[in-house]
Amino acid sequence: AQTVTQSQPEMSVQEAETVTLSCTYDTSESDYYLFWYKQPPSRQMILVIRQEAYKQQNATENRFSVNFQKAAKSFSLKISDSQLGDAAMYFCAYCSGNQFYFGTGTSLTVIP
Amino acid sequence: ETGVTQTPRHLVMGMTNKKSLKCEQHLGHNAMYWYKQSAKKPLELMFVYNFKEQTENNSVPSRFSPECPNSSHLFLHLHTLQPEDSALYLCASSLGTGHNYEQYFGPGTRLTVT
């Protein structure tokens, strides 16, 4: 069965610093996508970044980048130059076919 | 504004009540989803609809009954719920199903079952 594990329930980062959120997953599939979603307090969940499993190059979106290690089944999110608006719950997700599997989330606090 | 709206935003209901959650998307998408988000648990995919047809039902109890009259609207009918059903229920939509389509989420309905 596919599972997604986020081992860090809470993380904090100083404003303007860099933080890395961890995610591992378990699957026997070879074709899948991985996602990081952000859910700010009392606001809608939005997609931060996604990675196709068949692509070796790590995805980047402005200050957000991933470190995708397919063999290790690891998909970490790096946030550079952290801003106060980055404070949120971050969910790692795996998708294959029509099925999405989410992790339990990491609550990120940004310290001014 | 992601174009997915959900009503009501908050709902308190007794175990014998019948209520419905509504989701509407204004994005021209063809697929819609219901998720359950409980504290300290992974988001759980409940149902998937594509072009109004249910394509996934992840072993959801029959006290949850989805309805998709068209590609823009999705309902979740609730009856005889249990306290453990209290959670945030999220609706999402995407242009198509499958892993290459981004899902857009609504703000959720916070459900409390008393």
Side-chain angles (χ1 to χ4, degrees):
Chain A
Q2 287 83 356
T3 59
V4 178
T5 302
Q6 293 179 250
S7 59
Q8 305 153 316
E10 297 177 346
M11 291 280 286
S12 62
V13 62
Q14 205 76 34
E15 195 176 2
E17 297 295 311
T18 295
V19 65
T20 298
L21 308 184
S22 301
C23 174
T24 58
Y25 59 95
D26 183 29
T27 184
S28 57
E29 303 286 339
S30 58
D31 184 23
Y32 52 88
Y33 276 55
L34 297 163
F35 305 83
W36 278 99
Y37 280 87
K38 171 185 177 182
Q39 188 178 38
S42 302
R43 294 185 63 186
Q44 287 161 265
M45 192 174 313
I46 58 172
L47 179 66
V48 174
I49 197 166
R50 66 176 155 186
Q51 173 81 41
E52 297 95 322
Y54 65 85
K55 287 190 176 179
Q56 292 187 333
Q57 186 173 7
N58 289 325
T60 62
E61 286 286 343
N62 301 315
R63 297 181 296 106
F64 298 88
S65 62
V66 299
N67 183 4
F68 174 47
Q69 302 289 329
K70 191 172 185 179
K73 296 179 183 175
S74 171
F75 182 61
S76 60
L77 175 70
K78 185 171 83 170
I79 306 174
S80 304
D81 185 25
S82 297
Q83 301 175 0
L84 295 178
D86 295 333
M89 280 290 287
Y90 286 83
F91 293 94
C92 177
Y94 160 100
C95 179
S96 180
N98 289 345
Q99 286 293 342
F100 273 80
Y101 300 89
F102 285 77
T104 50
T106 296
S107 177
L108 179 66
T109 300
V110 181
I111 303 166
Chain B
E1 175 58 57
T2 63
V4 180
T5 58
Q6 290 186 243
T7 54
R9 295 292 306 275
H10 300 272
L11 177 64
V12 178
M13 60 185 288
M15 289 190 285
T16 58
N17 291 158
K18 288 185 180 181
K19 297 287 184 183
S20 295
L21 310 185
K22 179 183 176 182
C23 175
E24 184 174 0
Q25 58 94 1
H26 313 274
L27 301 168
H29 288 168
N30 300 307
M32 298 187 78
Y33 311 77
W34 278 118
Y35 287 89
K36 176 183 179 182
Q37 185 177 21
S38 304
K40 302 190 188 305
K41 287 187 177 181
L43 206 64
E44 300 171 51
L45 179 63
M46 301 173 72
F47 302 104
V48 180
Y49 278 82
N50 194 30
F51 291 99
K52 303 187 299 178
E53 298 298 320
Q54 187 179 120
T55 59
E56 300 288 341
N57 177 343
N58 288 341
S59 303
V60 180
S62 60
R63 57 186 184 269
F64 295 91
S65 175
E67 178 191 0
C68 189
N70 54 62
S71 293
S72 299
H73 294 85
L74 184 65
F75 295 89
L76 188 62
H77 303 300
L78 316 171
H79 63 98
T80 59
L81 293 192
Q82 304 298 311
E84 59 264 29
D85 297 323
S86 298
L88 183 68
Y89 288 84
L90 295 173
C91 174
S93 71
S94 60
L95 188 58
T97 57
H99 48 224
N100 54 327
Y101 291 103
E102 178 180 348
Q103 293 189 15
Y104 292 78
F105 285 82
T109 295
R110 174 70 61 186
L111 173 68
T112 303
V113 181
T114 60

